[in-house]
Amino acid sequence: MNIQVVRPGELGDSERARWRELQKADRSLDNPFLSVEFAVAMDRLRDYVRVAVISDGRGIQGFFPYERHSFGIGKPLGGFLTTCHGLISVPELKLDAKALLRACKLSVFDFDHLVAGQPTFAEYESDVRPAPVMDFTAGFEAWIEQVKANSPKNLKTVRYKERKMGREQGDLRLEWASADPEVLRTLLAWKSDQYQRTGRVDRFAQPWIVELTNMMHAENSSDFAGVLTMLYAGDVPVAGHFGLRTATTLVGWFPAYDTEYARYSPGIVHHLQMAEAAANAGLHMVDMGKGGKEYKDWLKSGTLYVAEGRISRPSASAAVHWMGRTPFNKARTIVMDRPSLYRAADRVLKGFGRVRTSMQRQEPSNAVTQEPTGAR
């Protein structure tokens, strides 16, 4: 195998076409975070983005997109922003993983949402996690029946709140694939507020993430697009979502809602209506990603799997990286595994968010503040 490392933006038309061909040939790769369009967009914004082009006498056999940080530390493309990464290749391609790292000039590669079971990385997987999906291949009605079987009480409650919101706030309608940048800004402002309220890091305080979201919103081809949905009560937006899709799969990314309407559970109402719109648009699946949100358990009708793990070559930087990351990853896994610990951690973060918000409100009135400029 010959491995050549380039920036995604340097790939020619034939190479990009080959990437799409390989992705479409393997159902496990049907995720927009694995698409060449996402890699090229990331490359325009971040100078540490690379892709290893793997070929032999028959031509290109695979692509390995990644980030190369200081001291040879390798990270998945998009890092904490994405819910899937891996090798885009012919089926069953197996490389020497450490030789791949050597060619990529990496001392270590740490992954947490890798497509599970890829032969090159399988022996380095330390854990495999379920990622629940809404599967519409048997039709929307079959999916909603599965949701009802999963939790009839939850579905009944959400449908009641849906009707109540329509009566009290105005008829509900869902806009699918909105191209309006103002609608996106509304959603991102809600998301920034959610991050701050719940004690999380505001992704959209970083201008490049705002720019990435705007770039993805402008993408609209049959194979790759940004999909913005918004639920309205009358003419008022109450909940929305921005995600990415391939021809058949939509991936959850940035959901948010207006807290003024929290009593109606607008986020879940939106998810139900978004699912119907996605099915009507010809999509086969909504990938909700791994994570500790309880609503995913009763909305799911199928499961994908992603792997966590680490590959390293002997070096001082790999040793330092291990000391810094491994204990944190283990602690996170323990919390995510135990609902009681997850809820406790969530309460602590929300408490921190309330304190921070209170302190901000007590700042002098002439303090300069910056409005949220982005989403997640």
Side-chain angles (χ1 to χ4, degrees):
M1 287 290 179
N2 175 56
I3 300 175
Q4 181 184 10
V5 175
V6 299
R7 297 188 65 152
E10 297 171 347
L11 297 173
D13 290 342
S14 62
E15 293 163 319
R16 297 185 190 195
R18 177 57 172 163
W19 185 316
R20 296 186 187 101
E21 179 185 19
L22 291 171
Q23 187 179 15
K24 290 178 180 179
D26 187 341
R27 290 187 62 185
S28 73
L29 304 178
D30 186 20
N31 187 296
F33 289 126
L34 299 178
S35 297
V36 64
E37 290 84 355
F38 184 74
V40 171
M42 282 291 301
D43 183 33
R44 288 174 59 185
L45 298 172
R46 305 279 86 185
D47 60 8
Y48 46 64
V49 174
R50 299 290 186 273
V51 58
V53 183
I54 304 153
S55 59
D56 62 12
R58 298 167 295 173
I60 294 175
Q61 301 299 302
F63 299 88
F64 177 58
Y66 64 97
E67 296 178 5
R68 186 169 71 204
H69 294 262
S70 301
F71 307 108
I73 302 301
K75 297 181 181 180
L77 181 66
F80 60 87
L81 282 176
T82 65
T83 60
C84 187
H85 39 259
L87 185 65
I88 299 90
S89 70
V90 295
E92 303 306 316
L93 176 67
K94 184 173 183 179
L95 304 173
D96 180 325
K98 293 188 178 183
L100 176 62
L101 262 61
R102 187 180 306 110
C104 295
K105 298 181 180 179
L106 299 178
S107 58
V108 62
F109 182 69
D110 201 4
F111 55 87
D112 59 2
H113 287 81
L114 189 86
V115 177
Q118 291 197 329
T120 296
F121 304 113
E123 66 179 285
Y124 300 96
E125 294 177 357
S126 59
D127 202 1
V128 175
R129 299 273 157 181
V133 301
M134 307 180 200
D135 188 341
F136 312 128
T137 52
F140 174 77
E141 292 303 325
W143 173 76
I144 203 71
E145 286 300 315
Q146 181 63 58
V147 172
K148 185 176 181 180
N150 291 344
S151 183
K153 182 178 179 181
N154 278 327
L155 181 60
K156 183 178 179 180
T157 299
V158 172
R159 289 305 195 196
Y160 167 77
K161 291 184 176 183
E162 181 180 45
R163 294 189 298 270
K164 182 177 175 65
M165 180 162 53
R167 288 194 307 269
E168 297 179 353
Q169 302 298 331
D171 292 342
L172 302 186
R173 65 178 176 87
L174 183 93
E175 183 179 15
W176 170 263
S178 171
D180 189 342
E182 287 298 326
V183 175
L184 181 61
R185 276 192 280 273
T186 295
L187 177 70
L188 301 190
W190 291 342
K191 196 66 182 179
S192 283
D193 177 67
Q194 178 192 338
Y195 284 135
Q196 294 169 33
R197 282 186 292 104
T198 57
R200 270 71 171 183
V201 174
D202 183 1
R203 303 286 194 265
F204 298 107
Q206 300 187 50
W208 77 268
I209 297 180
V210 177
E211 188 173 356
L212 174 66
T213 307
N214 289 328
M215 289 169 59
M216 295 295 90
H217 185 220
E219 289 279 350
N220 186 21
S221 70
S222 58
D223 290 330
F224 183 90
V227 179
L228 173 61
T229 56
M230 184 61 75
L231 178 67
Y232 292 84
D235 294 326
V236 179
V238 296
H241 172 264
F242 180 68
L244 304 180
R245 68 152 178 83
T246 63
T248 56
T249 296
L250 172 67
V251 171
W253 207 9
F254 300 125
Y257 61 87
D258 187 340
T259 55
E260 290 293 322
Y261 301 90
R263 62 190 180 278
Y264 300 110
S265 299
I268 300 297
V269 171
H270 165 271
H271 261 55
L272 289 176
Q273 295 207 11
M274 181 183 71
E276 185 170 10
N280 291 339
L283 296 180
H284 299 170
M285 183 182 299
V286 173
D287 183 342
M288 295 184 283
K290 74 172 185 178
K293 298 295 184 181
E294 293 181 4
Y295 74 85
K296 296 179 182 181
D297 285 336
W298 61 273
L299 289 182
K300 74 176 182 181
S301 58
T303 304
L304 301 176
Y305 292 92
V306 292
E308 302 174 4
R310 183 177 185 274
I311 311 166
S312 65
R313 297 165 49 225
S315 70
S317 58
V320 171
H321 179 267
W322 182 89
M323 288 187 291
R325 290 294 299 171
T326 299
F328 169 79
N329 289 341
K330 287 184 177 179
R332 181 184 60 184
T333 297
I334 291 171
V335 171
M336 297 295 286
D337 269 352
R338 293 165 174 77
S340 60
L341 290 178
Y342 180 87
R343 288 192 293 269
D346 189 53
R347 285 195 298 271
V348 170
L349 286 172
K350 287 179 178 177
F352 171 75
R354 286 192 294 270
V355 171
R356 181 171 60 184
T357 300
S358 176
M359 292 176 65
Q360 289 171 344
R361 289 173 178 169
Q362 294 173 19
E363 291 178 353
S365 59
N366 63 348
V368 176
T369 60
Q370 181 178 3
E371 293 182 0
T373 56
R376 182 175 174 169

